[in-house]
Structure formats: structure tokens, C-alpha cells
Amino acid sequence: ADVRSGVEIAIPYSAIGYVAGQPLKLSMFVSGGGGFISNQFLPGLPQNTGNVGGNERNINLNNIPGTQFATFTPANVATAPLVDGFMDDGVTAGSTGIYGAAVAVQTCFTGFGNSNTGNAVRSTNGSELNGLYVVRNDATSTLYVMVAGNLENNGNRLNIFIDSIAGGQNRILNTTSGFNGLLPNLGADASNTNGFTFDTGFEADYALSINCNFAAAPTNPQIFIDWATFPTELPPVGSFIGFAGFPPFGPAPTFVLPAGFTALAATGGDGTPDVRVAIDNRNTGGVLGTPVASGPSVAPSVDLAYGSEFNAVYSRVVGDTLFVMVTGNLETSFNKASFFFDVGPGGQQRLRGETRQLTNVDPAPDGQTFVAGLLAPTRYVGNPAGDFSALQRLGGGNDTFVVDPADNTRAINTGGLRFDGGFAADYWLSVGTGGVDPIDPINTVSMFSNAAVLRTNGRREATSGASTFSMDLESFDGGNKNGPNVNLVDFAGPNTADLVDFVGTPTEGPRGTRVAPRRNADVLLTPFAAAETGLIDVKLNNSNVLGVSDTTATDTAASAVTTGLEFSIKLNELGWDGVSPIRMTGFISNGGYDFISNQVIGLRLPTGVTSQANLGEPRTTDLSTLPGNVWVTLVGTGPVACDSRANVAGANQSTTPDDQLTADDIIVFLGWYFGNTTGAPVAGNPASPANLLADVSGANQNASQPDGQLTADDIIVFLGFYFQGCP
């Protein structure tokens, strides 16, 4: 409410059919030049609502809590305000002089950039609507509208809709022109079943669209004004009023606007109204560019978090599934939590980047990379793209190749994230959350996850003619995080990738799919095969306000956190070899994966060291330079839970292993042996036939080679495992 500069407008009564002393209704928002709608409305959206977004004609403000229009009767003022973009006679902060009290004030941060570099009128680095003030001057039959805030000089548009007479349009009808292309985006399509819809009770009769832009005049931006009328049951009609330049720029802070400055369009009989507009972009106060508040003072929210932190890692294997809990928070800004798994021999100790054709010809042809000293052209096979090529970006740039010292016909990538010694990644899973969807406020925050197989020598490929293309999948899943229609982020489809045609020939084309990547890269090699689901499940509870702080971290504080990011992955989807320990590392990065924080799984600072700087650019990050093993071995993994193949039962003879050896394990095993019953595979032997669950040995009591038969050897081997106990 303290902001006193912004966009100021004078509108003749006659332009909108206004009768002095009658109520008036206004609704307004900021959009991009292409139509994308911000979260800057007046009256404002609910606190911490994100940008409304594109697909403008399908937006219905009735679906957003609150009322996004103001109803008021403008006060008559004896002295008309000077249209210069600044409230007159406001001698103290919060004073609005002639305009009086605000009709509406902002309730939401700006998603279109926080203006903090305003330079006394002309340019700014953000758009925000802080307050709406309206008065009338009956002596001149003119309405004066002051929208306090900023309008970035990049083509962003302030769109003001006026309900001043009977009739009009609550839902904007189909039209072909107006608002410099914005009006057709708002209007209904040919089906006439949609169209931007205002709250019930508001029917637009007229509208202004205002923008300022350096493009037309790089040294002196110009103000452009568009106009529209909304006849009842007829298409809207748009027209261009005109433009005017800002006044000559003077040195701040002594620069003063010339008296009477207006952007006044000529009205030479073209029917456009005599509207005057001035913009003063000096404001650097008002609303911020991020959701409000942070820290323990905020009521805990399952969905919203204002910081990102890892506190502790917990894991367990139940049957054929790995469960992992990483306590902490993931900021609702699409910060990303990335997890990498080492589940057997091979894998990538340094992440691979984008697939490239490497050449020994300088200069290299288009689309190829020159490598000095390479004996012959070769193909470098990278990873699947992963989250809009983020995985490939983590793997380095295209110009970081050198000749492999062991073979000068090959090249190796010297850029890309390098893991700690003893860790080579076989699988990647990332999670991000952010945004809100005010179109459907019951389901607000979104969450998305991406997964990929990391093969030792890069993605699996196929060739058709002269084309070589990926046979690995670009797997993702996500959507609305909460509410009755919650997306479970369970990689349950639909599948959108066809790896082969009806006769099994590899197909080119998109590899995007909403099913898990490893198992389905195999399954979908069969024509008409159905994708496999139930392989990955991801959940996030962001309500933690405990744990580490931005200055301290202790085991006690970290261990007190019981909420965070939880996921399960089938062991065969991970690619576990059934023997190797399952190791995991991970980190929190920004949304573009180009800056890693200091929240790294496995990083343990030496005694006496209390801080760790953010790691920064991942392509030049080498985790082996950090102290300790920058990975963890997940508890409950290895050959079997508690390292005993005799762990086949839980309490009351449940066939779910419980990490303990009790009489239940012997009873369940002997039941399988004598009854030949079916059920879960024996722990540590998931390949055993379902009807031979007690088949744990082969000839001569070979415990690693089940032979499809039940003999005394199986009992002897089982009891041997049992009496060895748990480690």
C-alpha cells in the first residue's frame, strides 16, 4: 500500500458510458506479450498463487478463491490528478493524496519479476500490481485510474477490463483481432465452449491493454495503448488507440517529470477514445518476487516449503521392492532433488552427456565435434535426455572430449559430474515441486519426477537407414500434488513411446513415456506389448520446519525430522544384480540442474568443520574431492535383508521378511517345502520358481544354484543360513 508510482490513466466518461455517481467494476491482470497470464491481478489472487499461465481461453476465474473484480463508486475530486504516473500530494509514505483509499491492494507475490532496479520512470526489471485507486472529476467528466506498481518495458501488458453499463461479456467470445493479438487468445475457439471467463457478476464492456517497450525505440521506450469493446452476444472488437514516447530522460535522482506529461493518442475521427496514459517505473518496493515468509514461523504445509534441505536417509527392502525415505524439504520453486544408484558392476563413474558424432576433421562439420588427435571419426554415445535434456547437461558439454589414452580411435568426455571413488551410477531419479494451478485451486502444487537408466557405455541405440536413435526411454510422471484428483507420481502411464512397429522393427520418434524406463525398455521391444506399471512410486510431505538450519546442523536436529521425500522402486527396475550392495548418492540443485547446493547425500564434514559451500556448476564438480565417501549404502540391501537367506517370514508367520530370524522363518520354510505352496520368493533368491519356494540349493548343497528340485539339501542349506544368524 506504500507504493505511489505506476501506471496512471485518464478515461473520459463518454468512452465507457459512465454516469457520474454510479457504481463501477474493474478487473485487471498483467500478461506477457504473447498472452501468458501472470499472477498479478487486482483484486489479487490468494496468497502464494503462482502464474496463471497459458491456454488463456480456458481460464475461468470462478475456479480461483476470492473475487477478481472490484465494485466501487469513485469519489468526485475537485482537483483532477496530474496524469504523470505518480500519486499527487502524497507527502508521506502511505499517503495517496487526491486518490484517497485503495480500491484493492495486492495479496500475492509477483511471478513476473520483482521490480528492484527502477530508474525513475522508464525501465524496470519486473511487473507488479500493488494497489488500485480510482477517482472521478465531474468538472471534466473524466475517470482517473492509478495502478501502483511497475510494468516492465519488455512488452508485458496491463489489461484493464471495465464493467460500466448493462450487458457485456462474462465469457469472452470468439474474435480475430485486438490487443495486439492477445484478445483472440482470450476469446472462445470455434467450439464456443470456452473463452476467458470472469467471476460471476462481472461482464466486461470495455478494456484497455497498455504496454511499454524498448524495442521500437531503444534509447527511449514507447507506451502503446490498445482498446476493445465487448458487445453482448457479439464478437469483441479491438482497436489501436496510439502510442507516445516517454519524456526525455534526465539524471536520477534529480530527474522530474515534465508537468502535464501524457501519452495522448490523437482522436482524428477514428472512433478511439481520448485516453491518456503515463507510466512511472521508479518503484522498488511493494510485493516481492517469491512466496511470502519462510522458516518455522510459517504454519507447516504438506505442499509448500520455502527452503530445501536433506536431513537423513532411511531405507528398507521388503520383498522385491526398495523403499527410501529422505527427510527434509524440497522448495516449492522446482528445485530438484536428484538421486543416483549404484546397484552392480559397470555404470557411469562420470556422467555421460549428449550423443555426438566426433570427427578428426578441423573444422568439424555441422553437428559434429572436433577432437584433436583422434585417429578416425567415432560416435560417442551419451545418456537419454532426461527432464528436458537436464541429464545430458549434467554429463557435460559438447566440447570436452579428448582422445582415450588407451585407444586413439576412441574419445572420452572430460566434462560432466564425477562421482566419488567406488561409485558408478546405474540409475537416476529426480523430483521437483513448484507452481500452483489457480485454474483448479483444489489441486494447487505440482510435483514431477524423471527417471533414466545409466548404462556403462551410454544409451541403447538402434539404426534405421542412415539414422541412429535411442532405444532407451525418456521417463517422467507428475501433475497435481494434492486434492482429490492427486497424481500419485507412480509412473503408471499412459505410455507414449513405441520402440518397435507391428513386426518388431525399431521405430524412430519420441521416447517420452510415463512408465518406468528399465523394465519397459525391454518390454516395449515386443510389438503391441503392454507397459509394466507399479515399478516406481514417489511421495512428498513438505511440512518439516525442524532439522538443519541455514547456519547449523547436528545429528540430533537432523534425526528429529520425520517427513520429506519418500519413494519405492522395484529392485529389478533399478537393475540390482542380487548380490552387490545398493549405494545411493544425491543432491539438491536449482530447477535448471546447473547449480548444486551443499545438500549432498553422503557428505560428512570432518570434525571441527562446520560449513560446506554450495558445489555450483555440476559439469565441473568432482565429488571425490569432498571429504569421506559421498554416497551411502542403503540399509536392508545386499544379498538379502540382514544378510540371511533364512529371513523369509515376519511376525505370525507372515511371508514378508522382517530383518529377524525367528521360529516363524523355519515354520514358513518347512511349509513351503512339504506343501509345495506358492507365495513370495525366498529372500535372496527372487528367481526361484513360485511353486518351489523352498528350492534354495543345488547338487552338493550348492547354495547359489537352485536346481528346480526339493531335496534334503534344501533343508540343510536353509538351516545353515538360519543358524549363521543376522550380522
Side-chain angles (χ1 to χ4, degrees):
D2 285 346
V3 179
R4 298 165 58 205
S5 58
V7 182
E8 193 168 16
I9 310 158
I11 307 172
Y13 292 175
S14 59
I16 59 173
Y18 180 68
V19 177
Q22 294 297 306
L24 186 66
K25 298 176 182 178
L26 294 182
S27 180
M28 63 188 65
F29 58 81
V30 172
S31 66
F36 186 95
I37 295 177
S38 74
N39 63 353
Q40 291 300 279
F41 281 67
L42 280 177
L45 302 177
Q47 186 181 79
N48 292 339
T49 299
N51 292 326
V52 173
N55 206 9
E56 297 86 356
R57 62 170 51 93
N58 290 317
I59 294 170
N60 186 338
L61 297 184
N62 289 292
N63 292 329
I64 300 177
T67 302
Q68 278 70 58
F69 71 87
T71 303
F72 55 92
T73 300
N76 181 40
V77 294
T79 302
L82 177 66
V83 181
D84 60 2
F86 200 86
M87 292 187 184
D88 301 296
D89 302 329
V91 294
T92 60
S95 172
T96 56
I98 292 173
Y99 279 99
V103 172
V105 292
Q106 187 56 260
T107 54
C108 189
F109 77 102
T110 175
F112 259 38
N114 177 33
S115 177
N116 55 21
T117 60
N119 74 352
V121 185
R122 302 194 313 165
S123 67
T124 186
N125 60 340
S127 294
E128 59 188 66
L129 306 183
N130 289 286
L132 171 62
Y133 305 83
V134 185
V135 294
R136 75 179 202 268
N137 179 254
D138 290 344
T140 59
S141 297
T142 304
L143 283 167
Y144 294 89
V145 179
M146 179 71 198
V147 183
N150 301 83
L151 188 61
E152 188 171 0
N153 40 277
N154 63 349
N156 282 357
R157 309 179 72 85
L158 170 60
N159 309 289
I160 302 175
F161 297 87
I162 305 167
D163 184 350
S164 55
I165 60 177
Q169 297 182 19
N170 174 257
R171 176 177 67 90
I172 298 179
L173 301 179
N174 179 273
T175 189
T176 58
S177 64
F179 277 22
N180 195 25
L182 173 60
L183 199 56
N185 290 350
L186 296 171
D189 59 23
S191 70
N192 199 32
T193 59
N194 48 20
F196 183 94
T197 303
F198 299 96
D199 283 298
T200 300
F202 185 92
E203 296 179 325
D205 302 302
Y206 305 94
L208 276 166
S209 187
I210 301 162
N211 77 90
C212 57
N213 201 327
F214 264 119
T219 61
N220 190 33
Q222 295 177 322
I223 302 170
F224 296 85
I225 312 169
D226 290 278
W227 182 255
T229 59
F230 298 86
T232 305
E233 301 300 332
L234 293 174
V237 178
S239 58
F240 176 57
I241 290 181
F243 67 93
F246 277 85
F249 181 67
T254 59
F255 174 64
V256 177
L257 284 170
F261 162 60
T262 60
L264 174 61
T267 57
D270 61 359
T272 57
D274 180 10
V275 172
R276 288 167 286 156
V277 177
I279 301 175
D280 185 324
N281 264 326
R282 75 183 67 187
N283 167 58
T284 57
V287 298
L288 301 177
T290 55
V292 300
S294 63
S297 62
V298 179
S301 167
V302 170
D303 300 311
L304 296 175
Y306 304 101
S308 295
E309 62 189 61
F310 284 160
N311 286 283
V313 177
Y314 303 85
S315 70
R316 184 177 179 86
V317 169
V318 179
D320 61 354
T321 305
L322 170 69
F323 294 85
V324 178
M325 177 78 187
V326 183
T327 58
N329 299 85
L330 191 57
E331 186 171 359
T332 324
S333 60
F334 283 116
N335 278 358
K336 300 297 173 62
S338 286
F339 304 99
F340 296 89
F341 300 86
D342 182 351
V343 295
Q348 299 178 18
Q349 205 276 322
R350 163 167 262 157
L351 282 181
R352 302 177 78 87
E354 180 183 356
T355 296
R356 301 291 293 172
Q357 185 66 33
L358 306 178
T359 181
N360 54 4
V361 178
D362 189 10
D366 290 346
Q368 300 184 4
T369 299
F370 168 70
V371 182
L374 188 65
L375 185 62
T378 188
R379 182 176 177 81
Y380 170 83
V381 182
N383 280 324
D387 199 2
F388 301 100
S389 300
L391 180 60
Q392 292 175 343
R393 191 198 183 284
L394 290 171
N398 295 328
D399 56 353
T400 55
F401 294 95
V402 298
V403 174
D404 186 341
D407 184 348
N408 61 1
T409 66
R410 300 183 308 187
I412 56 177
N413 188 15
T414 60
L417 176 70
R418 182 186 287 275
F419 297 105
D420 204 350
F423 188 97
D426 303 297
Y427 202 89
W428 171 67
L429 179 74
S430 79
V431 183
T433 181
V436 290
D437 182 6
I439 309 308
D440 185 3
I442 296 176
N443 303 308
T444 53
V445 178
S446 296
M447 183 170 75
F448 291 89
S449 181
N450 290 266
V453 177
L454 305 178
R455 303 184 192 276
T456 304
N457 297 313
R459 70 186 191 184
R460 185 160 54 182
E461 295 188 329
T463 300
S464 176
S467 299
T468 301
F469 42 87
S470 175
M471 293 295 282
D472 273 336
L473 299 174
E474 307 284 349
S475 295
F476 68 96
D477 197 21
N480 296 326
K481 178 179 180 293
N482 61 355
N485 299 317
V486 61
N487 183 303
L488 300 179
V489 194
D490 55 6
F491 289 81
N495 175 56
T496 56
D498 293 313
L499 296 181
V500 296
D501 62 18
F502 65 96
V503 295
T505 303
T507 59
E508 299 185 53
R511 297 307 189 208
T513 178
R514 300 186 76 146
V515 295
R518 185 187 298 276
R519 294 282 296 169
N520 286 297
D522 297 331
V523 170
L524 297 176
L525 291 176
T526 301
F528 309 111
E532 187 173 347
T533 61
L535 299 173
I536 306 176
D537 192 8
V538 184
K539 301 291 190 302
L540 173 64
N541 182 325
N542 249 333
S543 59
N544 166 59
V545 293
L546 302 172
V548 301
S549 74
D550 56 353
T551 58
T552 62
T554 66
D555 286 352
T556 300
S559 299
V561 182
T562 59
T563 57
L565 185 63
E566 189 173 18
F567 54 88
S568 66
I569 306 178
K570 295 293 186 182
L571 293 171
N572 58 3
E573 171 60 23
L574 269 182
W576 182 47
D577 62 3
V579 177
S580 300
I582 297 179
R583 293 169 175 164
M584 184 181 82
T585 189
F587 50 77
I588 296 174
S589 70
N590 64 345
Y593 297 88
D594 57 10
F595 188 89
I596 299 177
S597 72
N598 65 358
Q599 297 297 282
V600 181
I601 291 176
L603 176 60
R604 187 82 179 183
L605 300 180
T607 301
V609 178
T610 59
S611 65
Q612 168 66 50
N614 293 325
L615 303 188
E617 171 60 67
R619 293 183 294 189
T620 57
T621 295
D622 185 346
L623 297 181
S624 68
T625 63
L626 299 177
N629 291 327
V630 188
W631 42 264
V632 295
T633 299
L634 297 181
V635 175
T637 62
V640 293
C642 88
D643 282 339
S644 175
R645 297 190 186 183
N647 177 29
V648 298
N652 301 316
Q653 299 174 25
S654 164
T655 56
T656 300
D658 63 354
D659 293 343
Q660 302 178 51
L661 295 184
T662 66
D664 288 326
D665 296 287
I666 296 177
I667 294 170
V668 167
F669 175 81
L670 293 177
W672 287 340
Y673 183 91
F674 291 107
N676 239 12
T677 56
T678 61
V682 172
N685 183 20
S688 63
N691 64 338
L692 293 174
L693 297 174
D695 177 29
V696 296
S697 78
N700 301 316
Q701 300 176 17
N702 187 330
S704 63
Q705 295 292 329
D707 61 357
Q709 302 178 50
L710 294 182
T711 67
D713 286 333
D714 294 289
I715 296 177
I716 295 170
V717 166
F718 175 83
L719 292 176
F721 285 140
Y722 183 89
F723 289 112
Q724 287 175 7
C726 290

